[in-house]
Amino acid sequence: MTLSSRFELPGQIWSVAARHPSGPLYATCYGADPLETVVSAVDLSGRVHWQRACPGTGRPRSRLSRSGTLWLACPTDRGGRALEGIRPDGSVGRTVALVCEVGEEVASFVLLGDGFCVMWAGASPVLLPAGHQPSGVPRVARYDGEGRCLWSTPIALGPVSHPGLLEMSAETGWEVRPTAPREPSRVEADHREPLLVSGDRIAAGFTDGSSGVGRTFFLDLDSGALVAATHLAPSDRKAIAGSGEFLIGSHGYGECATRHFGRDGAERARWACHGAMTVDGLGTVRGPGLSYSLVPSDGLRQPVSGHDLLGRSHGAGRYTSSPAVDSNGTVVFWRDDTLLAIDSDMALRELFTAEGSAQVIGRTLLLDEGRVVQPLGNEMLVLGTDLATLADGPWPCGDANLLGNPVLE
């Protein structure tokens, strides 16, 4: 395997996407500080086609459309929020203003064929005018292409509790006891895959900011009606499992599970592992995962029935990118300084190592000719491999892999 190119961008890379397997890459990152967002179009050699800096909100959020327009969530001059469309040549196209209250923030959004779906949550206090507080009512809303709100559904997370949440204080006589249910300190969007759309269903994950315990809410895409919600659990990775179906992971406070939910919001299967699972065109679920027994065990997991797993242990590692899958069924991802590949027989290969690399928070892209793109901190690695072309499948391939827009229509 070869390192084709390695180049830097202005700050921590939050998302990377490509309109075509040959590039160019569209990267969204921090600028000079967390309240500046920089978007860049670069080719696979690192040559910058264009770069734009704009006001940010502390967490850069963007989605790439099929036409090559990069949509960016940004604040307006009057303190509101908008989605700004940046054309393939770097010029600004349409800006869609979103009506919201002072104190609300675009927590996540996705592009639909006829508009947008947006998660709203309380804005960071540093973004608010003096005397204003973050909005206390999270919601999910759908908009048409001009920004007209078609529906808006308020979300009630409810009192937060979990068997693994413990407390010790004078009130408990300094004994360790389960924490009593309490109102969430601040409701946020989940940090991983907070908003997914599949068929006529939405999966929106909201979390208590102080504990990381939350729920995923399943809504009807057409009406916004609440279909179902998961039980309270420490949030983890999610995936689209098929039309109207989702995988929801949970990890922490002694819980470790991945659950498969159907279109009706009912749990269909559960496995005692969590991680960056993939779903191929045949519906097979597998990928790098962590299982809990008496000792945590890292390895390759493949759920095979309602509660059973096939797997192999291949050493420790926690910092794992969202993977890609090639047409031969090989899963490729970055974990702990190394680009790894799992073939269809669940065997693992090390493709490339960069010791001392930054913690990965992004995803792995598979482009044409086996080239792999991996963001690490503010760096982008482009690697030559013997992998096949990108596979078809609900997750994370298709639009969710190249365009970075987790929608299965």
Side-chain angles (χ1 to χ4, degrees):
M1 310 305 155
T2 59
L3 177 62
S4 300
S5 64
R6 183 172 190 163
F7 53 91
E8 293 184 358
L9 291 172
Q12 169 72 57
I13 300 168
W14 276 84
S15 65
V16 60
R19 182 184 176 192
H20 187 271
S22 62
L25 304 171
Y26 296 84
T28 306
C29 65
Y30 284 137
D33 61 65
L35 292 182
E36 181 183 57
T37 295
V38 175
V39 290
S40 310
V42 296
D43 61 28
L44 298 182
S45 69
R47 182 174 64 91
V48 178
H49 292 246
W50 52 260
Q51 197 166 76
R52 296 183 61 90
C54 51
T57 59
R59 183 175 294 177
R61 300 171 177 88
S62 63
R63 302 292 185 190
L64 184 62
S65 75
R66 293 178 183 273
S67 66
T69 297
L70 184 71
W71 287 94
L72 182 71
C74 58
T76 65
D77 294 338
R78 298 183 178 181
R81 296 295 181 263
L83 299 178
E84 185 176 88
I86 304 174
R87 298 188 182 103
D89 63 2
S91 63
V92 176
R94 290 193 302 121
T95 296
V96 177
L98 303 176
V99 176
C100 63
E101 296 181 5
V102 175
E104 282 190 302
E105 182 59 85
V106 175
S108 185
F109 76 99
V110 297
L111 308 178
L112 304 174
D114 57 357
F116 312 92
C117 184
V118 178
M119 287 177 73
W120 293 94
S124 170
V126 301
L127 300 172
L128 298 177
H132 289 274
Q133 297 296 320
S135 172
V137 183
R139 61 190 177 101
V140 180
R142 183 175 178 181
Y143 302 85
D144 67 15
E146 302 302 317
R148 288 184 288 267
C149 185
L150 304 178
W151 53 256
S152 179
T153 301
I155 297 295
L157 186 61
V160 175
S161 64
H162 188 270
L165 277 174
L166 305 175
E167 63 180 349
M168 182 178 67
S169 65
E171 296 180 357
T172 69
W174 302 109
E175 294 182 359
V176 177
R177 295 179 183 175
T179 302
R182 56 171 177 76
E183 291 300 315
S185 60
R186 179 183 173 190
V187 178
E188 302 175 344
D190 285 352
H191 290 289
R192 292 187 179 275
E193 299 92 28
L195 183 63
L196 308 175
V197 174
S198 178
D200 62 349
R201 291 292 181 262
I202 298 169
F206 288 92
T207 302
D208 168 41
S210 64
S211 68
V213 172
R215 304 179 193 270
T216 296
F217 297 83
F218 304 113
L219 297 97
D220 182 86
L221 179 63
D222 294 326
S223 67
L226 180 64
V227 175
T230 65
H231 74 282
L232 285 163
S235 63
D236 202 72
R237 304 211 187 220
K238 305 175 189 66
I240 294 173
S243 182
E245 301 180 12
F246 304 93
L247 299 179
I248 308 297
S250 56
H251 176 226
Y253 303 117
E255 181 168 339
C256 181
T258 296
R259 295 172 172 84
H260 181 185
F261 291 88
R263 182 177 172 276
D264 58 357
E267 183 178 312
R268 293 187 173 182
R270 181 188 310 179
W271 305 284
C273 72
H274 81 97
M277 294 297 171
T278 65
V279 185
D280 65 18
L282 299 176
T284 302
V285 179
R286 64 192 180 94
L290 173 71
S291 295
Y292 270 173
S293 54
L294 294 177
V295 179
S297 173
D298 282 289
L300 318 179
R301 311 293 171 192
Q302 179 173 322
V304 291
S305 65
H307 300 283
D308 297 329
L309 290 165
L310 292 177
R312 294 182 182 177
S313 180
H314 283 281
R318 297 296 186 273
Y319 302 115
T320 304
S321 69
S322 296
V325 188
D326 78 0
S327 55
N328 293 329
T330 299
V331 179
V332 59
F333 59 96
W334 188 272
R335 168 175 278 184
D336 286 350
D337 297 343
T338 304
L339 184 70
L340 303 171
I342 309 169
D343 67 21
S344 58
D345 294 324
M346 301 286 282
L348 180 143
R349 290 188 295 152
E350 294 187 1
L351 302 183
F352 182 82
T353 298
E355 293 185 2
S357 60
Q359 176 180 335
V360 60
I361 64 171
R363 63 200 185 102
T364 301
L365 265 70
L366 176 59
L367 304 182
D368 60 3
E369 300 177 0
R371 287 176 292 189
V372 172
V373 172
Q374 182 63 60
L376 297 171
N378 71 327
E379 284 193 315
M380 196 88 75
L381 305 185
V382 180
L383 303 159
T385 75
D386 60 357
L387 296 171
T389 57
L390 187 67
D392 293 323
W395 190 264
C397 296
D399 292 349
N401 183 270
L402 289 183
L403 298 179
N405 187 46
V407 174
L408 182 68
E409 294 180 304

